[in-house]
Amino acid sequence: MTIEIEYEAQKKLDFPYEETIRAVVEAALDEEGCPYEAQVSVVLTEDEEIARINEEFRGIASPTDVLSFPMAEYEEAGTFDWLEEETADGEYFDPDSGELMLGDIVISVDKVLEQAQKYGHSPRRELAFLVAHSMLHLMGYDHLEESERQKMEEKQEEILLSLGITRS
């Protein structure tokens, strides 16, 4: 498994954020039963940069907490069997490592700190939540409909609970 983490923010997180990110990525893949070794890129940045990216890709000129850029469009969230069947050229797999290229995650450290305080839990829990949320997007989940939102929330909680990461 390859998890690339880039830290571009000025503010520092005072816990082992790389360890947290890696654990959540692995737990999300396990929770969904991903049969492949995978690649994920995570960038920790600031409000200003995530606002620029948000405007460029979504047309929304304001900062957000997390952006997800999945490599594949899933017909059914969390199903992976079609990836090899429908992509004879292996477009979703790294030709060197053979790993499934899931996509990219961009997280605002400013929002991690702000939302942790707002919701009364630790920055570690907030970062873990955002990574779990984004990993589900990378595996085809969305929250446009109420039923989808509920399913994502349940899965996020399952991932965090499997790691013992709670709100307290």
Side-chain angles (χ1 to χ4, degrees), residues 113-131:
L113 298 171
E114 175 186 315
Q115 290 175 178
Q117 185 173 11
K118 177 180 178 180
Y119 297 123
H121 52 244
S122 71
R124 178 176 181 261
R125 197 273 180 197
E126 185 63 23
L127 177 65
F129 170 81
L130 294 174
V131 172

Side-chain angles (χ1 to χ4, degrees), residues 10-29:
Q10 296 282 333
K11 292 180 183 173
K12 299 297 177 198
L13 296 172
D14 64 352
F15 60 91
Y17 64 88
E18 288 184 348
E19 180 182 306
T20 299
I21 291 168
R22 291 181 195 289
V24 174
V25 167
E26 290 176 14
L29 291 168

